Amino acid sequence: MHKIRWLLAIGWLLLILSLFYDPVSAILTHPNNSSSPFSLASEVLTYQECVQVQQKCLIEQPYPIGARIWWTIIVPYSIPIIFVLGHEFWRRICPLSFISQLPLALGWQRKRKVVNPRTGKIYDKVVVIGENSWLGKNYLYVQFSFLFLGLVARILFINSHRTCLGIFLVLTIVAAIIVGYLYSGKSWCNYFCPMAPVQTVLTGPRGLLGSKAHEEPKSKITQSVCRTVDSRGREKNTCTGCKSFCIDIDAERTYWEELKQPGRRLVHYGYLGIVLGFYFYHFIYAGNWYYYYSGAWSHEENQLETIFAPGFYLFNQSIPIPKFIAVCLTFGFFINICYLLGVGLEKSYIAYRKRQNNPVSRERAQHIIFTIFSVTSFWSFFFFGIHPSLNLLPIGNVRLFDAFVILSGSIWLYRTLNRTRKQYNRERLAGTLRRQLEKLHLNFSEFLQGRSLQELNSDEIYILAKVLPGATHHERKRVYVSIVREILLEDKANLNKNMKILKTLRQELGLHEEEHYEIMYSLLNT
Ligand code: SF4
C-alpha cells in the first residue's frame, strides 16, 4: 500500500506540474487528431456545430489536457470508488491524506511538553484537536464551508484556468502539510478536508463493499486506521486518538454516534444541494446542457474574464447579475431547498408513522431520509459528473456503466435502509460475547449441529448465551465480567451508552442488577 500511495502521490504531483508547463498534451486535443477521444472535432461532432454559452459559440483551441483529466476523470471517478469500496479504501489511496502525513513520517511534528502526573517526568506529546474545542465541535461546518468555497472557486477560477488550478492545488497541499505538522493523526482528513463530508454522505454506515470493523477480531487493525510497518514487515497500529469515534477505525460507529452532531443534517442534506447546484448552474449560465456535457468548461480560454459577466441565461436572455454572485445564489438556493426538504421529510415520516400507530424514533426517521439522500446524491453525481468523460466511450459501455451505478446504488439502498443502531450494537457485543464463550471450553458443537461459534450470526450468539448449554450461573457471570472488563478498557468514555447494551446482555444471561453493580464496583476499584 505504501508503494501504491507513493505512486499515486507522484502521479498527482506530475499532473499539477503539467498545469504550469505542458508543451506536449495539446496534441491530443487537436481537431485533426482523429485517433484521440479528446479531439476538439469529436467533442463538437458529438453535440452540435459549436458549444454555445449564452448563444455565442465558444472559440475552442487545442489545449493542454491536465485540467480536463483532473475535473472530468480523476475527481468524478473518486465518487463511485468511495460509494462502492467505502471511505476506508479511499482514505488509504488518497494522495492528499498521504501527503498530510509527511511531517509525521519525517519526524517533524509539533509536540508539547507534558508532565506525567504519576512520575513527575516531562515528556513530549503530539498535539490533538480537543473534542470540546471550537474546531472539535464545529468541524462539520468548517469542512462544508470549504467544500462550498472550493466549488464556487471551481466555477469562477479553476475549472479551466490551468495556472489558477495549479496554484489552488499547491495551496491545498501546503495547508494539509501545515495541519499535519500542527496536529497528529489524520487531523487534516478529519477536521479540514472538504472531501470528508462527501465521504460521510456517500459511505453512510458502510460502503457497498466496506468491511465491518466491529466484527473484526480485537487484534486486527481495522479499516483505514493509522498504521506503520515495523522492522519485521508487520503492520502496527499508530493511532494517537486524534478524533473520538474516528471514521478510520469504525465507519459505522462514527455514523451512529455523529447523527446528533451539530451540522450533521446540513452536511447530509446540503451535499445534495451542492451537487444539484453545481451542475444546474452550468445549465442556467450557458442556457443549454451541451456546455456542461461537452466538457468545454474545462478548457474555456477566458474563464477569468467572465467573473463579472452576466451569470444567468434564462428564457433566451442574459440576466445582468454578475457571475460571482449568480454562482453563490444558485448554491444557496439548492442547499436551502435540499436542507428544508430533508428536515421536512423527516417530520412528515414521523407524523405518518404515528398516524399508522407504528411510531418511529427521530433517529430512525433521520437514518431513513439520510439513506435516501445519500443514494440520490450518488445517482445525481453520476448522471452529471461522470458523463463528460464517459460519453467519449462507445454507447454500449456508457449504458453498461449506467446499469452498474443503478444496480450498486439499489443494493446499497436496500441493505442500508433496514440498518439500525441497535443491530450495530448487538453485532458489536456479539463479537465480545463470542470470544468469551470460546474461553468457557464447553463442547458447543453438539448443540450447534456441527457448526462452530464463528459461524453463528449475532442473533444466534445471543440466543446461545441465553440458553448457554451446560454452563453454571458462575460461568455466565464470568462471561459477563470479562465483557464488562473489555468495555471498560476500550470504551470507558462511553460508559453510559454501553450500560444500556450491558443491561440487555445481563438479562439474557439471567444475571441480577445487584450482581452487575458488584462487578462494576470491583472492576472500577482495581
Ligand atoms: S486512526 Fe487514530 S490517529 Fe488515525 S485518524 Fe483515526 S483517531 Fe486519528
Side-chain angles (χ1 to χ4, degrees):
M1 276 314 292
H2 202 64
K3 282 179 190 152
I4 290 171
R5 296 179 95 195
W6 265 115
L7 220 73
L8 290 170
I10 290 169
W12 189 41
L13 293 174
L14 283 176
L15 185 119
I16 294 175
L17 202 66
S18 81
L19 295 171
F20 295 103
Y21 179 70
D22 176 4
V24 184
S25 71
I27 207 166
L28 292 169
T29 63
H30 200 283
N32 295 338
N33 188 346
S34 54
S35 59
S36 166
F38 298 105
S39 156
L40 280 172
S42 70
E43 179 183 288
V44 172
L45 269 182
T46 317
Y47 294 98
Q48 54 185 27
E49 275 179 22
C50 68
V51 179
Q52 293 188 352
V53 173
Q54 305 195 353
Q55 283 201 333
K56 286 189 200 125
C57 277
L58 278 185
I59 299 163
E60 296 191 81
Q61 307 281 355
Y63 59 95
I65 210 163
R68 177 157 187 149
I69 299 271
W70 174 250
W71 289 130
T72 67
I73 297 180
I74 297 175
V75 172
Y77 282 90
S78 65
I79 299 299
I81 290 179
I82 295 171
F83 189 82
V84 176
L85 301 175
H87 94 285
E88 58 195 273
F89 182 80
W90 178 253
R91 279 275 174 100
R92 294 199 70 196
I93 62 165
C94 171
L96 191 57
S97 170
F98 180 58
I99 290 173
S100 78
Q101 292 188 295
L102 279 184
L104 168 70
L106 297 171
W108 289 346
Q109 254 183 344
R110 178 172 69 128
K111 291 195 176 111
R112 273 198 191 133
K113 299 268 178 232
V114 179
V115 182
N116 184 326
R118 261 193 267 162
T119 59
K121 277 190 182 161
I122 297 175
Y123 65 99
D124 287 333
K125 195 171 177 225
V126 285
V127 183
V128 296
I129 293 168
E131 201 181 336
N132 292 320
S133 64
W134 182 88
L135 192 55
K137 286 181 188 157
N138 294 291
Y139 67 90
L140 288 175
Y141 293 110
V142 173
Q143 291 172 331
F144 192 74
S145 308
F146 284 163
L147 181 64
F148 171 84
L149 291 174
L151 288 173
V152 170
R154 207 183 137 176
I155 292 177
L156 296 179
F157 311 104
I158 55 179
N159 251 350
S160 56
H161 197 288
R162 286 180 289 281
T163 312
C164 282
L165 175 59
I167 293 171
F168 177 85
L169 294 177
V170 169
L171 289 179
T172 309
I173 289 175
V174 171
I177 292 176
I178 292 175
V179 173
Y181 163 75
L182 293 174
Y183 301 107
S184 74
K186 290 186 201 157
S187 294
W188 166 260
C189 310
N190 286 329
Y191 295 96
F192 297 93
C193 181
M195 266 304 265
V198 183
Q199 292 167 33
T200 304
V201 173
L202 293 179
T203 301
R206 182 155 65 98
L208 189 63
L209 301 177
S211 62
K212 283 185 161 186
H214 60 287
E215 289 190 344
E216 302 279 8
K218 285 286 163 224
S219 54
K220 182 120 189 263
I221 299 176
T222 54
Q223 297 190 342
S224 42
V225 165
C226 296
R227 65 195 76 189
T228 188
V229 177
D230 67 14
S231 51
R232 286 203 233 149
R234 286 179 312 196
E235 280 193 324
K236 260 176 47 188
N237 187 326
T238 56
C239 177
T240 57
C242 75
K243 171 127 186 344
S244 53
F245 304 123
C246 172
I247 192 170
D248 290 296
I249 299 173
D250 183 349
E252 182 161 3
R253 185 157 195 210
T254 310
Y255 176 81
W256 294 115
E257 295 299 341
E258 287 189 348
L259 278 183
K260 288 202 181 98
Q261 172 120 353
R264 187 65 183 80
R265 281 190 174 85
L266 174 70
V267 162
H268 218 101
Y269 300 140
Y271 176 66
L272 179 60
I274 279 202
V275 170
L276 296 178
F278 180 78
Y279 296 114
F280 273 95
Y281 181 73
H282 287 82
F283 170 71
I284 308 171
Y285 166 65
N288 62 72
W289 278 112
Y290 294 133
Y291 170 64
Y292 177 72
Y293 282 112
S294 66
W297 46 268
S298 67
H299 52 269
E300 246 177 303
E301 290 299 319
N302 62 343
Q303 188 183 13
L304 297 189
E305 289 158 29
T306 62
I307 293 173
F308 298 98
F312 289 129
Y313 189 79
L314 297 168
F315 310 109
N316 293 329
Q317 264 195 342
S318 297
I319 313 285
I321 296 175
K323 191 178 175 187
F324 71 95
I325 296 178
V327 174
C328 297
L329 288 176
T330 309
F331 275 126
F333 173 78
F334 277 98
I335 291 171
N336 275 299
I337 289 288
C338 286
Y339 178 79
L340 293 175
L341 181 70
V343 173
L345 282 173
E346 272 184 39
K347 286 185 182 152
S348 309
Y349 183 65
I350 292 172
Y352 166 76
R353 290 286 297 259
K354 212 170 170 185
R355 280 200 303 278
Q356 301 287 314
N357 282 332
N358 187 12
V360 277
S361 64
R362 287 193 65 181
E363 181 180 281
R364 178 86 192 122
Q366 187 183 351
H367 169 67
I368 287 176
I369 308 300
F370 267 25
T371 305
I372 293 168
F373 268 64
S374 289
V375 82
T376 311
S377 300
F378 173 57
W379 282 331
S380 312
F381 190 95
F382 173 77
F383 284 110
F384 294 111
I386 289 184
H387 274 260
S389 61
L390 202 62
N391 288 351
L392 300 172
L393 298 174
I395 188 71
N397 298 26
V398 178
R399 293 291 163 260
L400 207 66
F401 211 88
D402 287 349
F404 166 74
V405 166
I406 292 171
L407 189 69
S408 55
S410 306
I411 297 172
W412 182 87
L413 179 68
Y414 174 75
R415 191 185 71 189
T416 310
L417 268 181
N418 292 327
R419 194 80 184 143
T420 62
R421 183 200 283 265
K422 201 172 161 197
Q423 219 176 350
Y424 167 79
N425 282 333
R426 202 172 167 79
E427 286 172 6
R428 189 158 74 94
L429 206 59
T432 315
L433 194 51
R434 187 182 281 117
R435 277 194 301 282
Q436 300 311 326
L437 291 179
E438 275 165 355
K439 285 184 195 162
L440 288 179
H441 300 299
L442 295 173
N443 185 10
F444 288 107
S445 58
E446 64 181 89
F447 303 98
L448 302 177
Q449 294 163 338
R451 287 201 291 166
S452 71
L453 281 178
Q454 295 303 330
E455 289 169 90
L456 302 185
N457 65 33
S458 59
D459 287 336
E460 289 169 324
I461 283 284
Y462 268 83
I463 293 168
L464 182 67
K466 198 171 185 170
V467 294
L468 214 51
T472 61
H473 184 84
H474 176 71
E475 281 166 328
R476 287 173 216 269
K477 196 167 166 181
R478 223 176 75 202
V479 168
Y480 188 71
V481 171
S482 309
I483 291 173
V484 176
R485 186 181 290 120
E486 254 190 49
I487 287 178
L488 284 179
L489 279 175
E490 287 169 13
D491 208 11
K492 202 171 176 177
N494 298 296
L495 209 51
N496 279 345
K497 284 177 191 155
N498 286 320
M499 281 306 126
K500 285 186 199 151
I501 307 169
L502 285 174
K503 187 175 177 187
T504 319
L505 178 67
R506 71 173 167 270
Q507 282 165 352
E508 303 208 5
L509 289 175
L511 300 174
H512 299 293
E513 199 148 344
E514 296 79 53
E515 289 173 292
H516 164 75
Y517 286 117
E518 187 191 301
I519 292 165
M520 287 296 287
Y521 183 80
S522 75
L523 287 176
L524 286 169
N525 286 300
T526 50

